[in-house]
């Protein structure tokens, strides 16, 4: 259709677009129903999860009673159950080729299992079992080589063919809660220790590189799959910190929104967002470059969320919690699932652009940002806001009544860092 784009002929263009953007924003909130289903079958809290590197529909989960389940997400049912360990399953990871997976537990063992179910009449046995000297608290597999790392008393790097570690790395701490390989610079590892350290290692030099000490303990970290130097740490002080590994003096961004300890974090495959699981019974989605979350998910039944994963097709989020369920959520709450007609797709793209164009208008911004929260979280947020304001006021008064320069201004990003050791 030929159309004259002369603005003089379209005097109400902006007004019309504004109304469309407002309606699109309202409809987005109307259609925001992120919860898809819950996978139940565990008999104890879900402690860890792992993604299959090759199959989108397969996910593994380990529980606090030593049981490991393999789920088919398309059928939304459990396809295999293994009694893997005595006590907790502390960590699990799949091999990069997807043929087997590793689990570590409270019984001081590392076990390697086949991904396929055993043949008829065959016993459910691990391929390998490694007996360790101490309890292992986490495991992660190298992204390209038959090498994996475990953590506990120290970080051990293992070759799959050997029963003793090829090297052990430690830097004067007692217990390490998680270890992660970098997906891009695959010889780099990061680990979190219980004495508030985040330590980076280089596998080629078999020595620690540097560490950053925070005010409180970091529970786990996750590397950005698109930017080699960036990682995000989930901390006990309710915040998440995104660091650039080259400049650990201050984090790139402090993400604040949770009202209790953050227990797990996982990046989306695009590297633009990450999802965090917290003790406050909710999960939140943060853009990497923003300090506040764009989305918060919760249900009445969901208890403390211990583990969370973002699926490899960037569409779904899985979270495992205390009350024995794994929940499946949409990563984009109001997204329509299934096949879209070309006109639907065009309309959605047009609405998206309109929402971006008018996102800072007060009315649209208010509707887009409104989220219904459980009463407990709502009250805690309010309380923390008052506490933060009181601290700020106290600092201002102290600065006002002190000698100029004696009470320095400490930016939010530097407040939580104690020291960086190289």
């Amino acid at each position: 259709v030929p159309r004259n784009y002369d603005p003089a002929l379209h005097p109400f263009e902006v007004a019309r677009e504004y109304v469309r953007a407002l309606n699109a924003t309202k409809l987005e909130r109307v259609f925001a129903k992120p919860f898809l289903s819950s996978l139940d079958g565990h008999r104890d809290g879900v402690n860890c999860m792992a993604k299959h590197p090759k199959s989108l529909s397969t996910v593994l989960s380990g529980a606090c009673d030593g049981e490991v389940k393999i789920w088919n997400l398309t059928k939304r049912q459990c396809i295999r159950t293994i009694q893997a360990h005595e006590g907790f399953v502390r960590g699990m990871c799949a091999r990069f080729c997807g043929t087997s997976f590793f689990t570590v537990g409270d019984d001081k063992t590392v076990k390697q299992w086949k991904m396929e179910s055993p043949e008829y009449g065959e016993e459910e046995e691990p391929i390998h079992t490694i007996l360790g000297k101490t309890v292992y608290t986490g495991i992660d597999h190298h992204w390209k080589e038959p090498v994996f790392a475990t953590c506990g008393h120290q970080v051990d790097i293992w070759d799959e063919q050997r029963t003793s570690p090829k090297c052990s790395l430690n830097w004067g701490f007692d217990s390490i809660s998680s270890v992660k390989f970098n997906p891009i610079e695959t010889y780099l590892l990061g680990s979190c220790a219980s004495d508030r350290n985040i330590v980076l290692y280089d596998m080629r030099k078999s020595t620690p590189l540097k560490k950053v000490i925070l005010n409180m303990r970091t529970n786990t970290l996750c590397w950005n799959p698109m930017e080699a130097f960036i990682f995000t740490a989930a901390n006990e002080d309710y915040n998440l910190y995104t660091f650039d590994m080259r400049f650990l003096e201050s984090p790139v961004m402090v993400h604040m929104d949770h009202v209790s300890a953050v227990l797990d974090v996982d990046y989306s495959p695009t590297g633009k967002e990450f999802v965090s699981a917290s003790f406050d019974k909710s999960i939140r989605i943060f853009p990497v470059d923003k300090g506040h979350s764009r989305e918060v998910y919760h249900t009445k039944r969901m208890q403390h969320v211990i583990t969370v994963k973002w699926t490899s097709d960037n569409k779904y989020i899985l979270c495992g919690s205390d009350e024995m369920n794994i929940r499946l959520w949409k990563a984009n709450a109001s997204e329509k699932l299934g096949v879209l007609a070309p006109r639907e797709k065009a309309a959605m793209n047009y609405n998206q652009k309109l929402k971006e164009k008018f996102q800072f208008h007060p009315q649209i911004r208010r509707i887009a940002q409104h989220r219904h929260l459980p009463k407990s979280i709502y009250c805690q947020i309010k309380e923390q806001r008052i506490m933060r304001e009181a601290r700020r006021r106290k600092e201002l008064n102290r600065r006002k009544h002190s000698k100029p320069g004696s009470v320095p201004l400490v930016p939010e990003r530097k407040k939580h860092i104690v020291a960086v050791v190289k």
Side-chain angles (χ1 to χ4, degrees), residues 212-215 237 239 241 243 247-254 408-420:
V212 55
I213 307 168
L214 281 84
N215 272 332
D237 64 0
N239 298 341
Y241 301 100
F243 283 98
F247 317 106
L248 290 175
E249 284 71 30
S250 79
V252 182
M253 185 59 71
V254 181
L409 257 169
V410 183
E412 183 61 48
R413 292 180 188 185
K414 300 225 173 169
K415 270 181 198 166
H416 312 276
I417 307 286
V418 178
V420 177

Side-chain angles (χ1 to χ4, degrees), residues 197-250:
N197 291 345
I198 299 172
V199 190
L200 304 175
Y201 309 94
D202 191 331
M203 216 167 68
R204 300 166 303 180
K205 286 163 60 174
S206 69
T207 53
L209 291 175
K210 48 185 168 181
K211 68 176 172 182
V212 55
I213 307 168
L214 281 84
N215 272 332
M216 287 176 86
R217 191 178 82 220
T218 301
N219 286 315
T220 182
L221 60 88
C222 188
W223 294 93
N224 190 324
M226 287 292 161
E227 297 179 69
F229 301 109
I230 306 290
F231 66 90
T232 296
N235 205 284
E236 282 281 315
D237 64 0
Y238 316 169
N239 298 341
L240 294 115
Y241 301 100
T242 298
F243 283 98
D244 186 325
M245 137 189 177
R246 298 162 294 182
F247 317 106
L248 290 175
E249 284 71 30
S250 79

Side-chain angles (χ1 to χ4, degrees), residues 94-110:
R95 200 171 183 271
F96 59 90
C97 60
T99 52
S100 62
F101 64 94
F102 294 82
T103 61
V104 292
D106 275 357
D107 51 5
K108 304 183 183 177
T109 56
V110 182

Side-chain angles (χ1 to χ4, degrees), residues 70-217:
I70 302 178
W71 304 86
N72 184 336
L73 291 181
T74 40
K75 295 179 184 166
R76 295 182 191 174
Q77 63 189 35
C78 174
I79 48 177
R80 185 168 160 218
T81 305
I82 308 164
Q83 187 57 47
H85 294 277
E86 305 285 323
F88 284 42
V89 180
R90 286 290 173 193
M92 59 197 311
C93 65
R95 200 171 183 271
F96 59 90
C97 60
T99 52
S100 62
F101 64 94
F102 294 82
T103 61
V104 292
D106 275 357
D107 51 5
K108 304 183 183 177
T109 56
V110 182
K111 293 184 181 179
Q112 183 182 4
W113 308 82
K114 271 192 191 149
M115 198 64 86
E116 273 76 47
S117 303
E119 302 292 322
Y120 179 72
E122 207 181 324
E123 286 291 311
E124 185 74 88
E125 290 286 319
I127 307 172
H128 297 304
T129 303
I130 299 169
L131 291 168
K133 294 182 177 67
T134 55
V135 174
Y136 297 113
T137 53
I139 185 168
D140 198 31
H141 202 284
H142 195 282
W143 290 74
K144 293 196 175 94
E145 292 167 22
V147 170
F148 63 92
T150 60
C151 63
H153 185 57
Q154 60 197 16
V155 173
D156 293 325
I157 313 285
W158 306 76
D159 195 308
E160 281 181 17
Q161 309 302 324
R162 295 169 56 181
T163 55
S164 58
K166 45 180 209 176
C167 71
S168 296
L169 310 160
N170 58 356
W171 194 346
F173 29 71
D174 40 1
S175 76
I176 303 160
S177 54
S178 85
V179 61
K180 290 276 163 51
F181 274 101
N182 191 321
I184 304 168
E185 304 289 350
T186 48
Y187 45 81
L188 286 175
L189 298 102
S191 79
C192 315
S194 64
D195 55 356
R196 307 173 305 167
N197 291 345
I198 299 172
V199 190
L200 304 175
Y201 309 94
D202 191 331
M203 216 167 68
R204 300 166 303 180
K205 286 163 60 174
S206 69
T207 53
L209 291 175
K210 48 185 168 181
K211 68 176 172 182
V212 55
I213 307 168
L214 281 84
N215 272 332
M216 287 176 86
R217 191 178 82 220

